[in-house]
Amino acid sequence: MSLHVVNQASDLADLAGMAFVPTMGALHDGHLSLVRAGVEMGHPVIMSIYVNPTQFAPGEDFDAYPRPIDDDLAKAEAAGAQVVFVPDNSVMYPADEDIACPPLPSVATEPRLEDAHRPHFFTGVCKVVARLLDLVRPSHMIMGRKDYQQLLVLQSMVAADPGRWNNVEVVGCETIREPDGLAMSSRNAYLAESDRDRALGLTRAMQAASEVADAATAEHRMRTVLKEHDLRVDYAVVRDSHTLMPVTGSIHGHRALIAAHLDAVRLIDNQSI
Ligand code: AMP
């Protein structure tokens, strides 16, 4: 079946009940794994490609963000998507409609992780995903654990207002990595080949954290490894997998989360430890 590319809200009228994969494009195998997961679950899959201005702060990489739309459509089709929704700003945020952000759940404001370092971010993400869910009305929304706090925030947002989105189920899928362990990311396109070893500092730091028993030692080890790779750390922590708040006692079964800058490129990663 050939791919159906749509860009108006009215084009979605008969497409409710699909598995939905929201993205900002520049697709890689991480995004495509989400499409495949929907197909494997037995659902027709709709992907959206929209670089959402409201989740970027001034000075972040909104203008530079890669937008290879023809490549993206070919990849989405090859992975098994049936529909790709490519709205522009006037469809997402019409001038005559007030598109509101739902109340932010506590996991979007209390952990002091992405919320502390990108204060605009979850307001922008919740606003755009709420709008997309209103338009697409899927049965499932499939997301990556690569953006772990984002996944928990959106699961909480939907759980707080289940009737609005017809009990859509938010499904989290494992992070897809390059053979060397680097988490796939559209922003990896900003990395020079010579940066790759430094970028692996995140993976190596989480590995070091998984070898110890308590959060303080794990966090100290992560910072040491990140510094050895000449990365500037926003956070390198072990947190409760559900609340993202600090843990006491054994860290086994909790989550290591890192955000660090490789020069101008901000990288994030996480894993269960
Ligand atoms: P983005 O285009 O960066 O907004 O990401 C769209 C979706 O793809 C989000 O649910 C991300 O968590 C997910 N994603 C991004 N990178 C990966 C990856 N390496 N593995 C799995 N999912 C990913």
Side-chain angles (χ1 to χ4, degrees):
M1 182 193 287
S2 71
L3 184 72
H4 197 43
V5 181
V6 301
N7 47 42
Q8 299 300 318
S10 56
D11 297 331
L12 299 169
D14 297 328
L15 298 175
M18 299 176 83
F20 176 44
V21 177
T23 80
M24 298 202 302
L27 301 180
H28 51 66
D29 213 44
H31 298 113
L32 302 176
S33 73
L34 307 179
V35 174
R36 291 189 203 106
V39 172
E40 276 160 28
M41 288 160 62
H43 303 295
V45 174
I46 177 167
M47 170 184 276
S48 63
I49 298 179
Y50 178 62
V51 184
N52 172 37
T54 69
Q55 72 191 62
F56 290 79
E60 291 188 342
D61 57 343
F62 175 72
D63 290 329
Y65 203 84
R67 292 166 169 86
I69 187 68
D70 292 339
D71 264 21
D72 283 352
L73 295 178
K75 287 177 182 172
E77 180 171 20
Q82 292 194 359
V83 182
V84 179
F85 177 46
V86 192
D88 66 15
N89 293 338
S90 69
V91 171
M92 290 302 294
Y93 303 116
D96 57 351
E97 271 182 67
D98 182 22
I99 307 294
C101 179
L104 291 183
S106 58
V107 72
T109 57
E110 289 179 4
R112 312 299 295 156
L113 300 174
E114 292 301 291
D115 47 317
H117 293 276
R118 300 185 72 191
H120 295 67
F121 182 66
F122 286 125
T123 307
V125 165
C126 288
K127 184 171 171 170
V128 75
V129 173
R131 172 72 175 152
L132 286 166
L133 288 173
D134 284 341
L135 292 171
V136 176
R137 291 162 297 123
S139 61
H140 295 74
M141 177 165 68
I142 308 180
M143 315 207 67
R145 293 198 188 110
K146 160 76 167 45
D147 300 276
Y148 193 75
Q149 188 177 10
Q150 171 177 279
L151 172 66
L152 296 185
V153 166
L154 293 171
Q155 284 175 330
S156 298
M157 180 186 87
V158 164
D161 197 357
R164 176 169 170 186
W165 295 297
N166 206 18
N167 296 314
V168 60
E169 186 181 330
V170 182
V171 179
C173 293
E174 212 35 83
T175 300
I176 304 299
R177 297 177 180 280
E178 302 286 358
D180 60 9
L182 182 67
M184 290 191 182
S185 164
S186 304
R187 290 189 167 98
N188 292 352
Y190 301 148
L191 298 175
E193 200 48 45
S194 54
D195 293 332
R196 284 297 285 252
D197 192 67
R198 282 173 66 199
L200 285 173
L202 281 78
T203 323
R204 291 173 183 149
M206 294 188 295
Q207 174 61 35
S210 71
E211 290 162 4
V212 301
D214 69 287
T217 312
E219 292 177 1
H220 179 73
R221 282 207 176 190
M222 286 197 282
R223 285 186 172 269
T224 303
V225 173
L226 293 167
K227 207 168 158 198
E228 283 165 1
H229 288 75
D230 195 17
L231 300 170
R232 182 166 63 78
V233 180
D234 275 352
Y235 56 81
V237 294
V238 177
R239 294 293 178 87
D240 180 276
S241 305
H242 304 288
T243 64
L244 294 185
M245 297 307 279
V247 292
T248 51
S250 167
I251 59 177
H252 183 67
H254 293 297
R255 203 104 194 156
L257 302 108
I258 297 177
H261 298 258
L262 191 162
D263 305 328
V265 185
R266 186 172 187 273
L267 301 169
I268 63 170
D269 203 351
N270 68 88
Q271 72 174 45
S272 171
I273 52 176

